[in-house]
Amino acid sequence: MIVLETDDPHPDTKERKGSFGEILHRHFTDAGNAHDPPLGIETDMRYVVTERGGVMPKYEDFEHCHALLITGSTYSATDNNPWILDLMSLLKELWLHHPSMHFSGVCFGHQLLCRMLGSDIESAAATDWELGHTKISLNSVGQKLFRTDKPEVYLHQMHQDYVIARPTVRSAGGLLEEGTNVEVWGHTKHTRVQGVYIRGKLFTTQAHLAFDEGMVRRQIEMRVEAGSIKNKEHADRAAETGQLEHDGDVVAAAILRFFHDEDDGIE
């Protein structure tokens, strides 16, 4: 897996736990070790925000790689910064010409992949972020992906932008073949598209799978200080949910199975 890092964590988090790629690598490794049978993962990390000193990889860098994951970011997936447009171009090239590549994305990464496939993305009001520990209702596809009979999973949210509707063959402009089945695996009242799934090709999540209490609090703090989150009371309530147990390990295991082509028959 190549993790395409699209932001830096809070400085305290980075000092304590490393970059987003390092955090995700440990989370996936733990989920893989706990899986029956165990699932391995090798991780390369590329910081791609070129306006902050990052380097955009080239298509050739993915020759021996069959999975990529795009992290969350304080940038908006609707922005047209040069690095975002360059990343979109790279993703399209890989989508068209690297048939074995498995695409995954978290939060910003989820939205960017949906944007690539033609979905519209909107922003909620500045006072209406989806924040903190959240119940996500699952449909039958979500239950199969996560191997659960429960009607929901719980994950931490940190977003204002959201995908309005799943991509379609028509919206994708040639990136999806006729007959491609694009599934949404779960929803909340705030965001109807909590993740998108195409068997053997795409598995995204709007919510975060590797946040702990400290990360929740610090990521909210960053956005309040930046003026992005306007409702301080809402932010404080969400920060208090950071200690609640969540299903990030369940989601990580599902994405690992997807990377290992163990998602056959899910539709």
Side-chain angles (χ1 to χ4, degrees):
M1 172 178 69
I2 292 183
V3 176
L4 300 175
E5 297 175 314
T6 58
D7 210 344
D8 288 306
H10 186 284
D12 292 346
T13 298
K14 190 169 185 178
E15 182 178 355
R16 183 170 62 94
K17 303 190 71 172
S19 70
F20 281 130
E22 291 169 319
I23 293 166
L24 285 165
H25 170 70
R26 287 193 298 273
H27 191 71
F28 276 106
T29 298
D30 291 344
N33 289 338
H35 194 273
D36 184 18
L39 296 173
I41 186 77
E42 295 180 6
T43 309
D44 191 5
M45 304 156 207
R46 306 294 179 94
Y47 183 69
V48 299
V49 187
T50 54
E51 64 190 50
R52 293 182 181 174
V55 177
M56 189 64 61
K58 301 182 184 305
Y59 174 86
E60 293 75 18
D61 295 330
F62 295 82
E63 181 180 358
H64 301 294
C65 173
H66 78 279
L68 66 81
L69 184 147
I70 308 165
T71 69
S73 180
T74 53
Y75 287 88
S76 171
T78 64
D79 287 342
N80 290 315
N81 302 51
W83 74 267
I84 293 177
L85 297 180
D86 289 343
L87 178 56
M88 291 269 288
S89 295
L90 172 64
L91 294 171
K92 287 181 180 179
E93 186 177 10
L94 290 167
W95 188 277
L96 289 170
H97 304 297
H98 196 323
S100 66
M101 181 62 72
H102 295 62
F103 294 78
S104 187
V106 176
C107 198
F108 170 90
H110 152 73
Q111 295 168 13
L112 194 71
L113 285 164
C114 287
R115 176 187 174 184
M116 179 189 75
L117 295 174
S119 288
D120 290 328
I121 301 168
E122 289 191 356
S123 290
T127 55
D128 188 30
W129 283 59
E130 189 168 42
L131 289 174
H133 194 264
T134 304
K135 180 176 78 172
I136 302 172
S137 298
L138 300 176
N139 55 27
S140 61
V141 171
Q143 289 177 313
K144 290 175 184 177
L145 284 170
F146 301 131
R147 295 187 177 177
T148 181
D149 294 326
K150 295 179 181 179
E152 72 279 315
V153 291
Y154 290 86
L155 294 169
H156 287 298
Q157 303 275 7
M158 194 77 57
H159 70 102
Q160 180 181 19
D161 295 346
Y162 60 96
V163 176
I164 296 175
R166 76 187 77 189
T168 65
V169 171
R170 183 175 181 179
S171 74
L175 293 178
L176 294 177
E177 295 181 359
E178 288 292 335
T180 298
N181 194 19
V182 183
E183 298 282 1
V184 174
W185 56 256
H187 72 274
T188 63
K189 183 177 179 181
H190 183 284
T191 299
R192 303 301 297 176
V193 182
Q194 283 289 336
V196 172
Y197 171 73
I198 300 173
R199 183 161 57 89
K201 192 70 173 181
L202 179 69
F203 188 174
T204 69
T205 170
Q206 175 61 69
H208 294 269
L209 53 149
F211 274 16
D212 61 17
E213 180 179 2
M215 291 181 69
V216 170
R217 290 182 178 275
R218 283 187 281 270
Q219 293 298 119
I220 290 175
E221 175 188 313
M222 284 175 62
R223 286 158 174 79
V224 169
E225 291 178 351
S228 302
I229 297 176
K230 305 295 185 184
N231 189 332
K232 182 67 162 58
E233 184 179 348
H234 178 39
D236 290 342
R237 286 197 305 268
E240 290 301 317
T241 69
Q243 85 281 2
L244 298 176
E245 291 187 9
H246 62 88
D247 294 306
D249 56 342
V250 174
V251 178
I255 294 174
L256 270 179
R257 288 193 292 270
F258 162 70
F259 286 165
H260 281 265
D261 289 315
E262 293 190 9
D263 60 327
D264 287 346
I266 295 177
E267 55 185 7

